Amino acid sequence: MRSPSYSTVPPRLPWENILLAALLIVTIGSAAQSGAFRELDNGLRNFSFGLRDRTASGQIQVVEMDAASVAAIQRWPWPRSNYAEVVAALNEAGARSIIFDVDFSSTSNPVEDAALARSLSEASAEIVLPTFGQSESFESDRQIDALPIASLRRHASLASVSVIPDSDGVVRNMPLGTMTAGVPRPSLSAQAAGVAGKAGNQFPVDFAIDPASIPRYSFIDVASGRFDPSTITDKDILIGATAIEMGDRYATPRHGVLPGVIVQAIAAETLLGGIPIFGGWLVPLLVGALGAALVFAQKTYPRVVATSGLGAAALFGADIAAYSLAGADFRIVAGLILVLASGAARSGLLLYREMYRGKRIDQESGLPNRLALREADGSQENAQTIVAMLANFDAIKSVIGADAIGSLMGSLAARMGGRDIVYRIDDRCLAWISDESHETRIETLTELRRELRRPLEIAGKRVDPAIVFGIAAAGATAEASLAASTALANDKVWHMHEAAEQDLLEQQVSLMGELANAIENHELEVHYQPKLDLMTDRIASVEALVRWHHPTRGYLSPDSFIPLAEKNDHIADMTLFVLQRTLRDLAQWHGAGIEVKAAVNISARLLISPAFFDAVGAALQVSDTSASDLIFEVTESATMADPAAALRALEGYRRMGIMISLDDYGTGQSTLTYLKTLPLGELKIDRSFVENAHEDSSDALLVRSTVNLAHALGLQVVAEGIETVECLDFLREVGCDLAQGYFVSRPLPASELLTLCLSNSTSPKTPVRTAA
């Protein structure tokens, strides 16, 4: 047989993975273009700053205009002679550059201005003063450029001190240069790092740099000479405010609010390693597309999860490496989302395929199931569905156990070989679609049955499977199963379902619907066949028999609807109807002075049904008839199907007061021990042994011995099938207790039975006979 997996995989769309990946790329790329991932990118960059945490180089140092300096100087604005003192001290210590983040755009005391100008002119260190632009007013778009006063800028370079926060107020990027007074100028940070900056360009600031690692000196300490000059030599010194009351503070990623001069220092430290570049989101998205291709190439869910996880981790690691080694600041969220979304999409696709396959696979055997067969292609011209039924399924199951049944069915399917896919359509049935000719198909089935009958080793036990086949049109699986059941019932190797059988089946289904209505509307009848007491020649009991006179079909034989009721779960309702009608009629007969008992037949299915047991108890509670006037007739096969459950049920009925009668005795395999175990009160000898017992010595011996055995066990004996007076006389001779048959009386409606019983009670020793 071909691998069953071929029939249980959902159909694939052309270029399925490529189309899905392309859809993800376009969708995620569009979202990235619109800025949808900006916050996520910012958050991820902050996280990466924490992973790359590093200390400043020490080349950029800060002289803080801190709270201690404010307290010492006690004036604002500070006299510019104070700045002159600091410039002189730093210059003497050998600073490479002295860079001010202090506004000198307005004049102060001329003496003070002159003192600072003189200090700047005498310094050998490079002096950098700030320029900046500001709006003319709150509502004006006009910018006013602020430059240091002329006396100061003659001795210094000018640099832009502008800080441009993002729309959320957080500083993430800094300018390399700006235009002030119509002149392009480098930013303060670019000047400090010695980097040429083009006006209008920005760069991402590396906030992985720890601001606490930047060397700092108090302004007042430097002015007073309280510092180690050797730490200043050849360093670039930024001078700016850090005191809270001076303002000039900005929100930053990771570090929170920082003074502007510290932000400038971190930016300068960033540029010392080269100018970082904005990598954007497109390159990570393309890298993510490669990762997505790898993800979609995976065949199993664990590999998809591992590949997408590793791909996302690799992209994140590559981003950190790119920033650390090349200063490339990429926006990688779009790429990460693409890799992870590809993993989710591929996992979903695999999960769908697994669910699709799981619904079409029998979990016990691993074979494709009925749903897979229903979806299989059986459109060939001569295609037919063939069902192989394990005839001795129950016996084998009891030997190897339920857990090994799947292995058994899988082994049977493996033995079939050939070119067809084998499906397990229920517990005991395998099926496949065949396009062979009828003659070839029959030859194949004959050979296949011979092959399948060879013993199998399952769960350490040797079993001998017995197989029958059913054949029907392709797609008619139920009909093929029915045909297999027909073959089993008729002891045939195979049976073909014909159109006439389908018509019969439809009639039976229709009949079952009509039977349900007949039961519900009390349209059935109950007739009673008398049992004659051979000692008194009185009617001692009767057997209740259901009758159905259909309004359009006429009289229907019980054999035409009782087996169907058994198969279609109507037997409980029908039996309860018979029981309730029998209890009613018993009450009427007893009221008329006729003391008889009545027997009701109980099927194997009902015998072990707790629901039916409860229904019997409920019916007795509302009846005027005593349970002791009731007999339940059960067959040997009913008691042997599940002996333990049957015994419990029979004992329960016996405790209610109901007599138990074993029907059709002699046709089964009852043993003396079995008869002693059951709570019996009566034994009914099957008619096949009774009707010729007066002529056949073997039957006579069997009936005589059965009567003696039953009496020895304390049971009364009923013989059924009495058709002649000679048979009746024989039963009297052997001591049989009761006789039932057409020679005694045919089944009668309740009213006619009452008339017969009244007549019988007034005519002692008169044989009871009615027309057959």
Side-chain angles (χ1 to χ4, degrees):
M1 297 290 169
R2 290 180 305 195
S3 170
S5 61
Y6 291 154
S7 64
T8 56
V9 175
R12 293 178 180 270
L13 295 173
W15 304 93
E16 179 179 82
N17 291 334
I18 295 176
L19 290 174
L20 186 55
L23 177 62
L24 289 174
I25 292 172
V26 170
T27 302
I28 295 171
S30 299
Q33 179 67 34
S34 70
F37 304 137
R38 184 176 294 112
E39 292 302 319
L40 290 175
D41 273 313
N42 290 336
L44 192 61
R45 176 58 67 211
N46 294 348
F47 177 69
S48 69
F49 285 148
L51 295 179
R52 296 189 301 104
D53 184 70
R54 66 187 183 92
T55 59
S57 67
Q59 179 61 41
I60 308 297
Q61 302 189 9
V62 174
V63 173
E64 300 181 87
M65 298 166 61
D66 56 3
S69 303
V70 171
I73 297 174
Q74 296 186 347
R75 288 179 59 186
W76 188 258
W78 287 355
R80 289 182 174 166
S81 58
N82 293 104
Y83 298 111
E85 293 173 357
V86 168
V87 169
L90 294 174
N91 184 68
E92 184 177 352
R96 186 171 73 174
S97 64
I98 302 171
I99 306 166
F100 279 94
D101 184 9
V102 180
D103 181 12
F104 294 126
S105 61
S106 59
T107 59
S108 66
N109 183 290
V111 175
E112 295 292 332
D113 289 344
L116 178 56
R118 185 169 53 253
S119 178
L120 295 181
S121 67
E122 294 173 353
S124 58
E126 181 183 10
I127 303 298
V128 180
L129 298 181
T131 69
F132 58 92
Q134 57 185 348
S135 298
E136 182 179 41
S137 65
F138 177 74
E139 297 180 351
S140 174
D141 293 333
R142 182 183 176 190
Q143 178 173 296
I144 297 177
D145 295 321
L147 280 69
I149 60 176
S151 62
L152 299 182
R153 64 176 180 262
R154 284 196 295 267
H155 310 292
S157 300
L158 300 184
S160 170
V161 76
S162 298
V163 176
I164 308 174
D166 287 348
S167 59
D168 60 358
V170 178
V171 176
R172 297 183 177 88
N173 309 307
M174 291 287 281
L176 280 170
T178 62
M179 297 288 292
T180 52
V183 177
R185 306 185 193 277
S187 67
L188 208 67
S189 54
Q191 188 72 25
V195 172
K198 183 178 179 181
N201 286 359
Q202 296 184 8
F203 67 94
V205 180
D206 185 4
F207 283 102
I209 299 170
D210 182 4
S213 67
I214 297 174
R216 304 188 192 188
Y217 306 90
S218 174
F219 186 95
I220 194 63
D221 287 342
V222 174
S224 304
R226 295 191 298 269
F227 68 100
D228 181 0
S230 65
T231 60
I232 298 295
T233 303
D234 206 32
K235 298 297 190 290
D236 299 294
I237 310 301
L238 288 174
I239 302 174
T242 61
I244 294 176
E245 56 266 40
M246 290 186 176
D248 193 32
R249 305 178 75 82
Y250 299 93
T252 65
R254 187 189 176 202
H255 304 305
V257 176
L258 293 177
V261 68
I262 301 301
V263 174
Q264 296 285 1
I266 294 175
E269 280 284 349
T270 301
L271 293 174
L272 288 177
I275 302 176
I277 60 174
F278 292 101
W281 54 266
L282 183 57
V283 171
L285 185 67
L286 295 177
V287 174
L290 294 177
L294 290 175
V295 169
F296 277 104
Q298 306 310 309
K299 304 298 185 183
T300 64
Y301 178 76
R303 293 180 67 88
V304 168
V305 172
T307 302
S308 59
L310 290 174
L315 182 57
F316 182 67
D319 176 57
I320 294 178
Y323 198 102
S324 301
L325 300 176
D329 182 37
F330 289 103
R331 309 281 92 178
I332 67 169
V333 167
L336 288 176
I337 290 178
L338 177 58
V339 173
L340 296 176
S342 297
R346 180 61 175 165
S347 296
L349 188 60
L350 291 176
L351 180 61
Y352 162 72
R353 292 189 178 282
E354 187 62 28
M355 292 176 61
Y356 185 99
R357 185 177 186 274
K359 288 182 179 180
R360 290 155 179 80
I361 288 293
D362 173 61
Q363 298 303 312
E364 286 186 337
S365 65
L367 297 170
N369 60 18
R370 181 182 288 267
L371 176 58
L373 175 60
R374 189 182 306 144
E375 296 174 350
D377 181 16
S379 59
Q380 300 95 328
E381 183 177 353
N382 296 319
Q384 289 189 305
T385 297
I386 301 178
V387 169
M389 176 180 289
L390 185 58
N392 54 343
F393 175 83
D394 292 327
I396 292 179
K397 181 178 179 180
S398 67
V399 171
I400 65 175
D403 293 342
I405 287 297
S407 176
L408 169 66
M409 301 305 283
S411 297
L412 288 175
R415 273 196 177 179
M416 290 182 181
R419 55 185 174 81
D420 299 308
I421 300 171
V422 178
Y423 304 80
R424 186 184 183 192
I425 60 172
D426 63 26
D427 284 352
R428 68 187 68 207
C429 291
L430 301 174
W432 64 95
I433 298 174
S434 170
D435 58 358
E436 297 175 317
S437 66
H438 178 72
E439 293 76 12
T440 304
R441 183 180 299 123
I442 298 308
E443 292 178 3
T444 300
L445 293 183
T446 302
E447 296 174 0
L448 188 55
R449 185 171 188 258
R450 187 181 307 114
E451 175 66 21
L452 294 177
R453 285 180 64 88
R454 290 193 298 109
L456 282 169
E457 186 79 18
I458 303 294
K461 298 177 180 178
R462 181 187 176 94
V463 296
D464 297 297
I467 304 294
V468 295
F469 300 100
I471 307 172
T477 307
E479 290 80 358
S481 297
L482 181 62
S485 298
T486 302
L488 177 61
N490 296 326
D491 196 24
K492 294 182 179 179
V493 174
W494 61 272
H495 181 78
M496 179 173 290
H497 182 80
E498 302 289 354
E501 292 182 22
Q502 183 65 28
D503 293 341
L504 177 60
L505 180 61
E506 292 174 358
Q507 291 176 10
Q508 291 175 344
V509 171
S510 174
L511 189 63
M512 282 302 93
E514 295 166 356
L515 176 60
N517 292 331
I519 295 172
E520 183 177 353
N521 298 327
H522 301 284
E523 296 173 359
L524 299 179
E525 299 176 5
V526 179
H527 289 191
Y528 302 93
Q529 187 169 28
K531 299 178 186 178
L532 182 67
D533 186 324
L534 297 181
M535 292 294 293
T536 64
D537 276 333
R538 304 292 186 194
I539 297 174
S541 64
V542 296
E543 180 180 358
L545 301 170
V546 67
R547 295 292 185 264
W548 187 10
H549 190 82
H550 194 279
T552 58
R553 301 174 190 262
Y555 173 78
L556 297 178
S557 166
D559 291 340
S560 68
F561 64 87
I562 291 180
L564 293 178
E566 180 79 30
K567 291 180 180 179
N568 293 275
D569 293 329
H570 291 306
I571 194 66
D573 292 338
M574 189 173 70
T575 304
L576 283 174
F577 168 81
V578 172
L579 174 64
Q580 292 165 350
R581 183 63 58 86
T582 300
L583 291 173
R584 186 199 68 178
D585 292 341
L586 277 171
Q588 292 178 351
W589 296 334
H590 292 167
I594 303 300
E595 295 299 326
V596 296
K597 294 183 178 182
V600 176
N601 290 282
I602 307 298
S603 72
R605 178 176 297 184
L606 296 183
L607 181 59
I608 59 175
S609 169
F612 182 76
F613 184 89
D614 294 339
V616 170
L620 286 172
Q621 285 184 349
V622 299
S623 172
D624 295 330
T625 303
S626 170
S628 60
D629 293 320
L630 201 59
I631 302 171
F632 277 179
E633 292 189 7
V634 297
T635 63
E636 291 184 62
S637 59
T639 59
M640 296 181 73
D642 188 345
L647 179 60
R648 288 193 298 270
L650 292 176
E651 289 176 341
Y653 289 127
R654 196 68 192 92
R655 285 192 294 271
M656 288 184 187
I658 301 172
M659 177 187 286
I660 307 300
S661 175
L662 187 62
D663 197 7
D664 297 337
Y665 180 78
T667 60
Q669 300 176 357
S670 297
T671 64
L672 179 59
T673 301
Y674 186 65
L675 293 178
K676 289 174 63 178
T677 302
L678 297 178
L680 301 176
E682 181 179 273
L683 211 61
K684 290 189 73 174
I685 307 176
D686 187 72
R687 65 180 298 125
S688 62
F689 302 102
V690 173
E691 57 189 357
N692 295 315
H694 60 288
E695 298 175 340
D696 187 286
S697 59
S698 297
D699 287 347
L701 178 61
L702 187 146
V703 171
R704 190 186 305 273
S705 61
T706 299
V707 170
N708 292 335
L709 173 63
H711 287 167
L713 293 173
L715 308 178
Q716 69 178 13
V717 181
V718 180
E720 57 182 348
I722 313 304
E723 302 291 344
T724 64
V725 65
E726 290 81 7
C727 183
L728 188 65
D729 291 340
F730 169 77
L731 294 174
R732 292 184 194 276
E733 176 190 339
V734 299
C736 185
D737 302 295
L738 299 168
Q740 177 183 354
Y742 270 33
F743 183 77
V744 175
S745 173
R746 63 181 175 85
L748 301 172
S751 58
E752 294 183 23
L753 180 72
L754 176 59
T755 300
L756 178 64
C757 289
L758 289 173
S759 173
N760 177 242
S761 64
T762 59
S763 303
K765 297 297 180 179
T766 301
V768 178
R769 292 191 63 189
T770 63

